Amino acid sequence: MARNEVRPDPDIQQRRYWVAAEDRFDRLRLSARAIKRIDKIGGASSVRTGAG
């Protein structure tokens, strides 16, 4: 009998963060861990702008 594969299901949420360099809000899809990291170290130093 084959076991079912467990698929990882991260806690993904959408949040709006203010990007002062671009003078606008940016909507990001982030995991709960990433949200905690941004809240701890700040959005400007953790979000890479113009990466596209």
Side-chain angles (χ1 to χ4, degrees), residues 22 48-52:
E22 298 178 9
R48 200 181 305 170
T49 59

Side-chain angles (χ1 to χ4, degrees), residues 17-26 28 43-52:
Y17 286 100
W18 177 252
V19 181
E22 298 178 9
D23 197 33
R24 66 181 179 95
F25 280 100
D26 200 4
L28 303 173
S45 61
S46 60
V47 176
R48 200 181 305 170
T49 59

